Short mmCIF file of all heavy atoms in Angstrom, two decimals:
data_model
loop_
_atom_site.label_atom_id
_atom_site.label_comp_id
_atom_site.label_asym_id
_atom_site.label_seq_id
_atom_site.Cartn_x
_atom_site.Cartn_y
_atom_site.Cartn_z
N ARG A 871 1.14 -20.46 -13.94
CA ARG A 871 2.00 -21.65 -13.84
C ARG A 871 3.43 -21.30 -13.44
O ARG A 871 4.39 -21.80 -14.00
CB ARG A 871 1.98 -22.43 -15.14
CG ARG A 871 0.63 -23.00 -15.46
CD ARG A 871 0.65 -23.87 -16.66
NE ARG A 871 -0.70 -24.36 -16.93
CZ ARG A 871 -1.03 -24.96 -18.02
NH1 ARG A 871 -0.15 -25.18 -18.97
NH2 ARG A 871 -2.28 -25.37 -18.18
N GLY A 872 3.53 -20.37 -12.47
CA GLY A 872 4.83 -20.01 -11.94
C GLY A 872 5.63 -19.01 -12.76
O GLY A 872 6.72 -18.63 -12.37
N ARG A 873 5.11 -18.58 -13.91
CA ARG A 873 5.80 -17.59 -14.74
C ARG A 873 5.18 -16.23 -14.55
O ARG A 873 3.96 -16.08 -14.59
CB ARG A 873 5.69 -17.96 -16.23
CG ARG A 873 6.75 -18.93 -16.67
CD ARG A 873 6.81 -19.06 -18.16
NE ARG A 873 7.59 -17.96 -18.70
CZ ARG A 873 7.53 -17.59 -19.96
NH1 ARG A 873 6.72 -18.19 -20.79
NH2 ARG A 873 8.27 -16.60 -20.39
N ARG A 874 6.03 -15.23 -14.38
CA ARG A 874 5.55 -13.86 -14.23
C ARG A 874 5.21 -13.32 -15.61
O ARG A 874 6.07 -13.16 -16.46
CB ARG A 874 6.62 -12.99 -13.58
CG ARG A 874 6.86 -13.36 -12.15
CD ARG A 874 7.94 -12.52 -11.54
NE ARG A 874 7.95 -12.74 -10.09
CZ ARG A 874 8.82 -12.19 -9.30
NH1 ARG A 874 9.74 -11.36 -9.76
NH2 ARG A 874 8.79 -12.43 -8.02
N LEU A 875 3.93 -13.00 -15.80
CA LEU A 875 3.47 -12.52 -17.10
C LEU A 875 3.38 -11.01 -17.15
O LEU A 875 3.83 -10.38 -18.10
CB LEU A 875 2.12 -13.14 -17.45
CG LEU A 875 2.08 -14.66 -17.49
CD1 LEU A 875 0.67 -15.14 -17.77
CD2 LEU A 875 3.05 -15.19 -18.53
N VAL A 876 2.74 -10.43 -16.16
CA VAL A 876 2.56 -8.97 -16.10
C VAL A 876 2.85 -8.53 -14.68
O VAL A 876 2.83 -9.33 -13.75
CB VAL A 876 1.14 -8.52 -16.51
CG1 VAL A 876 0.86 -8.84 -17.96
CG2 VAL A 876 0.10 -9.14 -15.60
N GLY A 877 3.08 -7.26 -14.51
CA GLY A 877 3.27 -6.71 -13.18
C GLY A 877 4.66 -6.14 -13.01
O GLY A 877 5.33 -5.77 -13.96
N GLY A 878 5.09 -6.10 -11.77
CA GLY A 878 6.36 -5.51 -11.41
C GLY A 878 6.19 -4.17 -10.72
O GLY A 878 7.16 -3.54 -10.31
N GLN A 879 4.93 -3.74 -10.56
CA GLN A 879 4.67 -2.48 -9.85
C GLN A 879 5.00 -2.67 -8.37
O GLN A 879 4.81 -3.73 -7.81
CB GLN A 879 3.20 -2.06 -9.95
CG GLN A 879 2.65 -1.92 -11.32
CD GLN A 879 2.02 -3.19 -11.83
OE1 GLN A 879 2.64 -4.22 -11.91
NE2 GLN A 879 0.74 -3.12 -12.16
N ARG A 880 5.45 -1.57 -7.75
CA ARG A 880 5.70 -1.58 -6.31
C ARG A 880 4.74 -0.64 -5.62
O ARG A 880 4.49 0.45 -6.09
CB ARG A 880 7.14 -1.15 -6.01
CG ARG A 880 8.14 -2.21 -6.34
CD ARG A 880 9.51 -1.89 -5.85
NE ARG A 880 10.39 -2.98 -6.26
CZ ARG A 880 11.61 -3.14 -5.80
NH1 ARG A 880 12.11 -2.29 -4.94
NH2 ARG A 880 12.34 -4.14 -6.22
N TRP A 881 4.26 -1.11 -4.47
CA TRP A 881 3.42 -0.32 -3.58
C TRP A 881 4.25 -0.08 -2.33
O TRP A 881 4.58 -1.02 -1.62
CB TRP A 881 2.14 -1.07 -3.27
CG TRP A 881 1.34 -1.33 -4.49
CD1 TRP A 881 1.33 -2.47 -5.25
CD2 TRP A 881 0.46 -0.41 -5.13
NE1 TRP A 881 0.48 -2.31 -6.31
CE2 TRP A 881 -0.06 -1.05 -6.27
CE3 TRP A 881 0.06 0.89 -4.85
CZ2 TRP A 881 -0.96 -0.44 -7.12
CZ3 TRP A 881 -0.83 1.50 -5.70
CH2 TRP A 881 -1.34 0.84 -6.82
N ARG A 882 4.60 1.16 -2.07
CA ARG A 882 5.52 1.50 -0.99
C ARG A 882 4.84 2.44 0.02
O ARG A 882 4.15 3.38 -0.37
CB ARG A 882 6.75 2.18 -1.57
CG ARG A 882 7.79 2.60 -0.56
CD ARG A 882 8.98 3.31 -1.24
NE ARG A 882 9.65 2.45 -2.21
CZ ARG A 882 9.63 2.67 -3.53
NH1 ARG A 882 9.00 3.71 -4.04
NH2 ARG A 882 10.26 1.84 -4.33
N PHE A 883 5.11 2.17 1.29
CA PHE A 883 4.66 3.03 2.38
C PHE A 883 5.89 3.41 3.19
O PHE A 883 6.52 2.55 3.80
CB PHE A 883 3.66 2.32 3.29
CG PHE A 883 2.34 2.04 2.64
CD1 PHE A 883 2.14 0.90 1.88
CD2 PHE A 883 1.27 2.93 2.79
CE1 PHE A 883 0.92 0.64 1.28
CE2 PHE A 883 0.05 2.67 2.19
CZ PHE A 883 -0.12 1.53 1.43
N ALA A 884 6.25 4.69 3.16
CA ALA A 884 7.37 5.21 3.94
C ALA A 884 6.81 6.03 5.10
O ALA A 884 5.93 6.88 4.90
CB ALA A 884 8.28 6.07 3.07
N LEU A 885 7.31 5.78 6.31
CA LEU A 885 6.82 6.42 7.53
C LEU A 885 7.92 7.28 8.13
O LEU A 885 9.06 6.83 8.28
CB LEU A 885 6.39 5.36 8.54
CG LEU A 885 5.49 4.22 8.02
CD1 LEU A 885 5.22 3.22 9.13
CD2 LEU A 885 4.21 4.76 7.46
N HIS A 886 7.55 8.50 8.50
CA HIS A 886 8.50 9.41 9.12
C HIS A 886 7.84 10.02 10.35
O HIS A 886 6.85 10.75 10.23
CB HIS A 886 8.92 10.51 8.14
CG HIS A 886 9.84 11.52 8.73
ND1 HIS A 886 11.17 11.27 8.95
CD2 HIS A 886 9.61 12.78 9.17
CE1 HIS A 886 11.73 12.34 9.50
NE2 HIS A 886 10.80 13.27 9.64
N GLU A 887 8.39 9.70 11.52
CA GLU A 887 7.82 10.23 12.77
C GLU A 887 8.07 11.74 12.86
O GLU A 887 9.20 12.20 12.73
CB GLU A 887 8.44 9.54 13.97
CG GLU A 887 7.83 9.98 15.29
CD GLU A 887 8.39 9.23 16.47
OE1 GLU A 887 9.62 9.28 16.69
OE2 GLU A 887 7.59 8.58 17.17
N LEU A 888 7.00 12.50 13.04
CA LEU A 888 7.10 13.95 13.17
C LEU A 888 7.14 14.36 14.63
O LEU A 888 7.84 15.30 15.00
CB LEU A 888 5.93 14.62 12.46
CG LEU A 888 5.85 14.34 10.96
CD1 LEU A 888 4.57 14.91 10.38
CD2 LEU A 888 7.07 14.91 10.24
N SER A 889 6.36 13.69 15.47
CA SER A 889 6.37 13.94 16.91
C SER A 889 5.91 12.68 17.63
O SER A 889 5.05 11.96 17.14
CB SER A 889 5.48 15.13 17.28
OG SER A 889 4.13 14.83 17.04
N ALA A 890 6.50 12.44 18.80
CA ALA A 890 6.18 11.25 19.57
C ALA A 890 4.86 11.38 20.32
O ALA A 890 4.29 10.39 20.76
CB ALA A 890 7.31 10.93 20.54
N GLY A 891 4.38 12.60 20.47
CA GLY A 891 3.15 12.81 21.22
C GLY A 891 3.43 12.83 22.72
O GLY A 891 4.50 12.46 23.18
N ASP A 892 2.44 13.30 23.42
CA ASP A 892 2.52 13.32 24.89
C ASP A 892 1.10 13.18 25.40
O ASP A 892 0.19 12.90 24.64
CB ASP A 892 3.21 14.59 25.40
CG ASP A 892 2.53 15.88 24.93
OD1 ASP A 892 1.30 15.88 24.75
OD2 ASP A 892 3.23 16.89 24.76
N GLY A 893 0.88 13.41 26.67
CA GLY A 893 -0.45 13.25 27.24
C GLY A 893 -1.50 14.16 26.65
O GLY A 893 -2.68 13.84 26.62
N SER A 894 -1.09 15.31 26.13
CA SER A 894 -2.07 16.26 25.60
C SER A 894 -2.18 16.25 24.07
O SER A 894 -3.16 16.71 23.53
CB SER A 894 -1.73 17.68 26.06
OG SER A 894 -0.47 18.07 25.56
N ARG A 895 -1.16 15.73 23.40
CA ARG A 895 -1.19 15.70 21.94
C ARG A 895 -0.82 14.32 21.42
O ARG A 895 0.10 13.69 21.96
CB ARG A 895 -0.22 16.73 21.35
CG ARG A 895 -0.68 18.15 21.56
CD ARG A 895 0.28 19.09 20.94
NE ARG A 895 1.56 18.95 21.67
CZ ARG A 895 2.63 19.68 21.45
NH1 ARG A 895 2.62 20.58 20.51
NH2 ARG A 895 3.72 19.51 22.15
N PRO A 896 -1.49 13.86 20.37
CA PRO A 896 -1.16 12.54 19.81
C PRO A 896 0.15 12.59 19.02
O PRO A 896 0.60 13.66 18.60
CB PRO A 896 -2.34 12.25 18.88
CG PRO A 896 -2.83 13.60 18.47
CD PRO A 896 -2.59 14.50 19.66
N ALA A 897 0.73 11.44 18.83
CA ALA A 897 1.89 11.32 17.96
C ALA A 897 1.49 11.70 16.55
O ALA A 897 0.31 11.62 16.18
CB ALA A 897 2.40 9.88 17.99
N ARG A 898 2.45 12.14 15.75
CA ARG A 898 2.20 12.49 14.35
C ARG A 898 3.23 11.78 13.49
O ARG A 898 4.43 11.80 13.80
CB ARG A 898 2.31 14.00 14.11
CG ARG A 898 1.45 14.88 14.96
CD ARG A 898 0.03 15.04 14.62
NE ARG A 898 -0.29 15.26 13.24
CZ ARG A 898 -1.52 15.05 12.75
NH1 ARG A 898 -2.47 14.62 13.54
NH2 ARG A 898 -1.78 15.25 11.49
N THR A 899 2.76 11.16 12.41
CA THR A 899 3.64 10.46 11.48
C THR A 899 3.26 10.85 10.06
O THR A 899 2.08 10.83 9.71
CB THR A 899 3.51 8.93 11.65
OG1 THR A 899 3.83 8.59 13.00
CG2 THR A 899 4.42 8.18 10.70
N ARG A 900 4.25 11.18 9.26
CA ARG A 900 4.02 11.45 7.84
C ARG A 900 4.15 10.12 7.10
O ARG A 900 5.15 9.42 7.23
CB ARG A 900 5.03 12.45 7.30
CG ARG A 900 4.77 12.79 5.83
CD ARG A 900 5.67 13.89 5.28
NE ARG A 900 7.06 13.56 5.47
CZ ARG A 900 7.95 14.32 6.12
NH1 ARG A 900 7.57 15.47 6.67
NH2 ARG A 900 9.21 13.95 6.24
N VAL A 901 3.12 9.80 6.32
CA VAL A 901 3.09 8.57 5.53
C VAL A 901 3.12 8.96 4.06
O VAL A 901 2.27 9.73 3.61
CB VAL A 901 1.83 7.73 5.82
CG1 VAL A 901 1.82 6.45 4.99
CG2 VAL A 901 1.72 7.42 7.31
N THR A 902 4.07 8.42 3.33
CA THR A 902 4.14 8.63 1.89
C THR A 902 3.87 7.30 1.22
O THR A 902 4.60 6.33 1.43
CB THR A 902 5.51 9.19 1.45
OG1 THR A 902 5.72 10.43 2.13
CG2 THR A 902 5.56 9.42 -0.05
N HIS A 903 2.80 7.28 0.44
CA HIS A 903 2.36 6.07 -0.27
C HIS A 903 2.74 6.26 -1.74
O HIS A 903 2.34 7.24 -2.36
CB HIS A 903 0.85 5.93 -0.09
CG HIS A 903 0.24 4.73 -0.70
ND1 HIS A 903 0.94 3.62 -1.11
CD2 HIS A 903 -1.07 4.46 -0.97
CE1 HIS A 903 0.10 2.73 -1.60
NE2 HIS A 903 -1.12 3.22 -1.53
N THR A 904 3.52 5.34 -2.28
CA THR A 904 4.03 5.47 -3.65
C THR A 904 3.62 4.28 -4.50
O THR A 904 3.71 3.13 -4.07
CB THR A 904 5.57 5.59 -3.63
OG1 THR A 904 5.93 6.71 -2.85
CG2 THR A 904 6.13 5.73 -5.03
N TYR A 905 3.18 4.59 -5.71
CA TYR A 905 2.93 3.61 -6.76
C TYR A 905 4.07 3.77 -7.75
O TYR A 905 4.21 4.80 -8.39
CB TYR A 905 1.57 3.89 -7.42
CG TYR A 905 1.25 3.03 -8.62
CD1 TYR A 905 1.18 1.65 -8.52
CD2 TYR A 905 0.97 3.61 -9.86
CE1 TYR A 905 0.85 0.88 -9.62
CE2 TYR A 905 0.63 2.85 -10.96
CZ TYR A 905 0.58 1.49 -10.83
OH TYR A 905 0.24 0.72 -11.92
N ASP A 906 4.92 2.76 -7.88
CA ASP A 906 6.13 2.81 -8.70
C ASP A 906 6.06 1.71 -9.75
O ASP A 906 6.10 0.53 -9.41
CB ASP A 906 7.34 2.64 -7.78
CG ASP A 906 8.67 2.61 -8.51
OD1 ASP A 906 8.71 2.54 -9.76
OD2 ASP A 906 9.70 2.65 -7.81
N TRP A 907 5.96 2.10 -10.99
CA TRP A 907 5.89 1.11 -12.07
C TRP A 907 7.15 1.15 -12.93
O TRP A 907 7.17 0.68 -14.07
CB TRP A 907 4.61 1.27 -12.89
CG TRP A 907 4.51 2.51 -13.74
CD1 TRP A 907 4.73 2.59 -15.09
CD2 TRP A 907 4.12 3.82 -13.33
NE1 TRP A 907 4.52 3.87 -15.53
CE2 TRP A 907 4.14 4.65 -14.46
CE3 TRP A 907 3.76 4.38 -12.11
CZ2 TRP A 907 3.82 6.00 -14.42
CZ3 TRP A 907 3.45 5.72 -12.06
CH2 TRP A 907 3.48 6.51 -13.20
N SER A 908 8.26 1.65 -12.39
CA SER A 908 9.51 1.75 -13.16
C SER A 908 10.12 0.38 -13.47
O SER A 908 10.90 0.26 -14.41
CB SER A 908 10.54 2.61 -12.40
OG SER A 908 10.89 2.02 -11.18
N ARG A 909 9.76 -0.65 -12.72
CA ARG A 909 10.28 -2.01 -12.95
C ARG A 909 9.24 -2.92 -13.61
O ARG A 909 9.46 -4.12 -13.73
CB ARG A 909 10.70 -2.63 -11.62
CG ARG A 909 11.83 -1.93 -10.94
CD ARG A 909 11.97 -2.44 -9.51
NE ARG A 909 12.93 -1.68 -8.74
CZ ARG A 909 12.66 -0.52 -8.15
NH1 ARG A 909 11.47 0.01 -8.23
NH2 ARG A 909 13.59 0.11 -7.47
N ALA A 910 8.11 -2.36 -13.99
CA ALA A 910 7.01 -3.19 -14.50
C ALA A 910 7.33 -3.75 -15.88
O ALA A 910 8.02 -3.14 -16.69
CB ALA A 910 5.73 -2.36 -14.57
N ARG A 911 6.76 -4.89 -16.13
CA ARG A 911 6.86 -5.52 -17.45
C ARG A 911 5.80 -4.89 -18.35
O ARG A 911 4.66 -4.75 -17.96
CB ARG A 911 6.60 -7.02 -17.30
CG ARG A 911 6.80 -7.78 -18.60
CD ARG A 911 6.86 -9.26 -18.37
NE ARG A 911 8.12 -9.58 -17.68
CZ ARG A 911 8.34 -10.68 -17.01
NH1 ARG A 911 7.39 -11.57 -16.88
NH2 ARG A 911 9.48 -10.90 -16.42
N LEU A 912 6.20 -4.45 -19.52
CA LEU A 912 5.32 -3.82 -20.52
C LEU A 912 4.57 -2.61 -19.94
O LEU A 912 3.35 -2.53 -20.04
CB LEU A 912 4.33 -4.83 -21.09
CG LEU A 912 4.93 -6.10 -21.70
CD1 LEU A 912 3.84 -7.11 -21.99
CD2 LEU A 912 5.74 -5.78 -22.93
N PRO A 913 5.26 -1.67 -19.32
CA PRO A 913 4.58 -0.58 -18.62
C PRO A 913 3.71 0.30 -19.51
O PRO A 913 2.64 0.73 -19.09
CB PRO A 913 5.72 0.23 -18.00
CG PRO A 913 6.90 -0.08 -18.85
CD PRO A 913 6.71 -1.50 -19.29
#
Side-chain angles (χ1 to χ4, degrees):
R871 295 185 182 169
R873 275 191 82 199
R874 292 178 170 177
L875 302 177
V876 295
Q879 304 92 302
R880 286 189 181 192
W881 299 96
R882 180 181 300 112
F883 291 86
L885 312 177
H886 177 76
E887 184 176 59
L888 300 173
S889 67
D892 57 32
S894 62
R895 289 182 295 184
R898 304 281 315 161
T899 302
R900 182 174 56 236
V901 180
T902 301
H903 182 17
T904 301
Y905 174 59
D906 177 350
W907 70 100
S908 63
R909 296 168 188 82
R911 185 166 289 160
L912 305 170

